[in-house]
Amino acid sequence: MAEGLHIEHHGHEHGNEHEHVEQQAPAAQPIDNASLPDVNLTPKAIEMVGKMHAKEGLSADHGMRIGVVGGGCSGFQYSLNFDTQKEGDRVTDFGGVLVLVDEISLPYIAGTTLDYVEGLHGAGFRFDNPRASRTCGCGSSFSA
């Protein structure tokens, strides 16, 4: 994607560099994806995704895919890339900016807010995931 893309994570608890914070996880229950909330984008994140979409010269069929992959120091890592809709995707339209979430990732990131922050240490996307039970100071790793 864009050069210099930076991803941060902010869950319920904030850890220091490589310090993990444990929270009591709720008992495992069957998950009905239809009842899960959408992923949200702040106005700044919508603006930046739109700018990146235009810069890449992508068609209106391409959206920002937000997902999770195994790995990282806490078990899962966030994934961001432009893609087209696949069968089973949850699609949310933010004024022409499409957000795609696959049915496997949705239970882990439902209700997550994606923001774009700029500061002295650089700029990048930041995740606020209410479903993260453990986070790491690296900013892109979490445990559900």
Side-chain angles (χ1 to χ4, degrees), residues 53 56-63 84:
H53 189 276
E56 296 287 327
L58 300 171
S59 72
D61 293 340
H62 284 82
T84 55

Side-chain angles (χ1 to χ4, degrees), residues 51-109:
K51 285 182 179 181
M52 290 177 183
H53 189 276
K55 183 178 179 181
E56 296 287 327
L58 300 171
S59 72
D61 293 340
H62 284 82
M64 171 68 75
R65 179 169 299 282
I66 303 174
V68 295
V69 294
C73 50
S74 293
F76 295 102
Q77 287 184 313
Y78 296 104
S79 170
L80 287 175
N81 63 301
F82 287 108
D83 197 3
T84 55
Q85 184 177 350
K86 309 277 190 265
E87 186 176 339
D89 281 349
R90 167 83 58 99
V91 181
T92 309
D93 187 335
F94 292 91
V97 172
L98 297 180
V99 173
L100 315 169
V101 180
D102 66 86
E103 59 190 343
I104 303 298
S105 297
L106 184 59
Y108 298 101
I109 60 174

Side-chain angles (χ1 to χ4, degrees), residues 39-52:
V39 171
N40 299 301
L41 271 68
T42 65
K44 185 65 175 177
I46 294 169
E47 175 189 347
M48 295 309 296
V49 171
K51 285 182 179 181
M52 290 177 183

Side-chain angles (χ1 to χ4, degrees), residues 6-60:
H6 176 73
I7 300 173
E8 295 181 14
H9 165 76
H10 292 271
H12 288 289
E13 296 289 331
H14 300 280
N16 293 331
E17 188 68 28
H18 301 293
E19 178 183 322
H20 296 276
V21 179
E22 294 284 344
Q23 288 183 338
Q24 184 94 359
Q29 299 174 351
I31 296 173
D32 175 15
N33 281 359
S35 67
L36 292 173
D38 289 332
V39 171
N40 299 301
L41 271 68
T42 65
K44 185 65 175 177
I46 294 169
E47 175 189 347
M48 295 309 296
V49 171
K51 285 182 179 181
M52 290 177 183
H53 189 276
K55 183 178 179 181
E56 296 287 327
L58 300 171
S59 72

